[in-house]
Amino acid sequence: MSMHASVADRHVAYSIPEDVLAGLTASQKSIPSKYFYDAEGSRLFEAICELPEYYVTRTETALLGQVAEDIAAFVPQDATLVEFGSGSSTKTRLLLDAAPQIRRYVPIDNCRDAVEHAAQMLRERYPRLAVSPLVHDFTQPVRLPAAAARSPVVGFIPGSTIGNFSPDEAVEFLRNARAVLGPGSKFAVGADLAKPAEVLIPAYADDQGVTAAFNKNVLTRLNREFGADFDLESFEHLSVWNSVASRIEMHLVSRRQQRVEIGGWVLEFEPGETIHTENSYKHDPAAFADLAERARWRVAASYLNPSPAFGIFLLAS
Ligand SMILES: C[S@@+](CC[C@H](N)C(=O)[O-])C[C@H]1O[C@@H](n2cnc3c(N)ncnc32)[C@H](O)[C@@H]1O
């Protein structure tokens, strides 16, 4: 517990999730990045995907468009597609169009608005596809619907969402996903690759301030859902390239000395002190294959875009 946090002398009316409390009371304050995605956070993420600086979405979408037929050749008849962190399920359509043998789609996301909206859109567009959305934290054990568990299963995690995990966390996620998807499954993973800081930094600190609004929205969420009193004007968005860890870090920097209350806790901030809100690891293809192997997956095919560097890895269990 940090010296910069203490219990306020008042009734605790809100139940703060353990991971939020642990993060905000550590010496380097942090908030898990999964809390970005309430309805407004998901809307802001979609706006980020449209930004000229954010090369990730258009690069992965173009690459997936080129290789979807190849990936489709790995998809068995009557397969179930399980997507982790499905959001708007926009890229999914490229796989569904290339692989009409997919009979069932299970999007998993912890943002109810995003997953339900996407499920409705896909049901209208693909009337023969059974869509079974799960509002769920994909770092926790999950059981697939019975019909899905009886069919061949293909996993999908685009958006470089895998980059939000540290290497050890990524291995744990891949290992758990292997257990969820089952023996003989395939798993298509989109991973952003290391590239010059001049390209990376603007992608996470755009001129229009959309990424800044996305970052600060997590404080709005903590204010609304957990009765915190963060003053948004007193924090500013920061993105830094950590070349040693090969990751972009997003932080919220305190502009002044201040105190913030959340669920009966008082957090003390020094000027310049940060809340670390996200990591986005940028992989190297060989190192990514090692991570996959540690989780007992084998890279059956890899599709690499040279510039901006991006990889889609097809894993086999
Ligand atoms: C970077 S966005 C990617 C969205 C979409 N797949 C794409 O490629 O554009 C990450 C998505 O994962 C979801 N997400 C993040 N952490 C999650 C968690 N622990 N459990 C479930 N969903 C999570 C978010 O709600 C968001 O929709």
Side-chain angles (χ1 to χ4, degrees):
M1 200 64 58
S2 143
M3 286 163 47
H4 299 294
S6 56
V7 183
D9 184 18
R10 70 175 174 82
H11 178 67
V12 180
Y14 293 88
S15 145
I16 316 293
E18 256 175 49
D19 51 2
V20 171
L21 196 56
L24 285 175
T25 55
S27 53
Q28 167 61 68
K29 295 180 173 68
S30 65
I31 302 170
S33 60
K34 68 183 179 190
Y35 290 99
F36 279 139
Y37 298 94
D38 60 358
E40 177 63 1
S42 293
R43 189 194 69 74
L44 285 165
F45 177 73
E46 292 304 312
I48 289 172
C49 293
E50 303 288 321
L51 292 169
E53 295 95 334
Y54 195 70
Y55 62 87
V56 179
T57 304
R58 63 174 178 278
T59 306
E60 184 180 38
T61 303
L63 180 59
L64 191 57
Q66 289 161 26
V67 306
E69 298 281 340
D70 280 54
I71 294 176
F74 288 91
V75 177
Q77 204 56 38
D78 295 329
T80 295
L81 181 68
V82 177
E83 182 169 349
F84 298 87
S86 46
S88 65
S89 297
T90 307
K91 292 166 195 155
T92 321
R93 294 190 333 225
L94 293 166
L95 281 186
L96 294 174
D97 289 342
Q101 68 271 37
I102 295 173
R103 279 303 158 90
R104 180 174 295 275
Y105 174 54
V106 182
I108 305 176
D109 203 290
N110 59 4
C111 178
R112 178 177 295 279
D113 292 80
V115 82
E116 288 183 350
H117 184 264
Q120 186 55 29
M121 177 272 291
L122 289 176
R123 283 187 188 112
E124 284 164 20
R125 203 178 165 112
Y126 302 92
R128 292 180 59 240
L129 183 73
V131 182
S132 313
L134 292 177
V135 180
H136 188 78
D137 180 339
F138 59 49
T139 61
Q140 301 303 311
V142 62
R143 184 177 295 203
L144 296 180
R150 283 195 298 272
S151 68
V153 179
V154 177
F156 187 36
I157 181 164
S160 205
T161 304
I162 191 101
N164 296 143
F165 295 121
S166 70
D168 284 347
E169 289 166 346
V171 171
E172 192 184 339
F173 168 77
L174 289 169
R175 202 174 276 143
N176 291 340
R178 191 172 179 278
V180 171
L181 300 175
S185 55
K186 305 282 189 298
F187 195 9
V189 181
D192 197 12
L193 303 178
K195 55 181 64 61
E198 305 82 75
V199 180
L200 288 166
I201 297 274
Y204 293 83
D206 63 281
D207 280 348
Q208 295 171 55
V210 183
T211 316
F214 173 75
N215 198 5
K216 281 188 177 191
N217 179 60
V218 75
L219 300 184
T220 308
R221 182 176 187 182
L222 296 192
N223 285 351
R224 184 184 63 244
E225 292 187 15
F226 308 125
D229 62 356
F230 285 98
D231 170 20
L232 269 63
E233 293 309 308
S234 298
F235 288 88
E236 74 183 295
H237 169 69
L238 173 72
S239 90
V240 287
W241 170 237
N242 178 335
S243 60
V244 176
S246 193
R247 69 186 190 206
I248 285 279
E249 296 178 3
M250 293 210 310
H251 293 256
L252 289 163
V253 187
S254 175
R255 291 186 201 269
R256 57 182 175 83
Q257 185 153 34
Q258 56 181 317
R259 308 178 112 199
V260 175
E261 277 195 41
I262 177 167
W265 287 85
V266 178
L267 310 173
E268 306 271 359
F269 286 88
E270 296 299 323
E273 188 178 351
T274 76
I275 309 174
H276 186 173
T277 50
E278 188 182 66
N279 288 320
S280 189
Y281 282 82
K282 305 303 171 186
H283 292 280
D284 158 84
F288 185 81
D290 286 346
L291 286 187
E293 276 165 28
R294 278 171 60 196
R296 299 185 49 229
W297 289 97
R298 158 180 78 75
V299 178
S302 40
Y303 308 99
L304 303 177
N305 190 66
S307 180
F310 195 93
I312 297 175
F313 300 89
L314 187 75
L315 310 182
S317 63

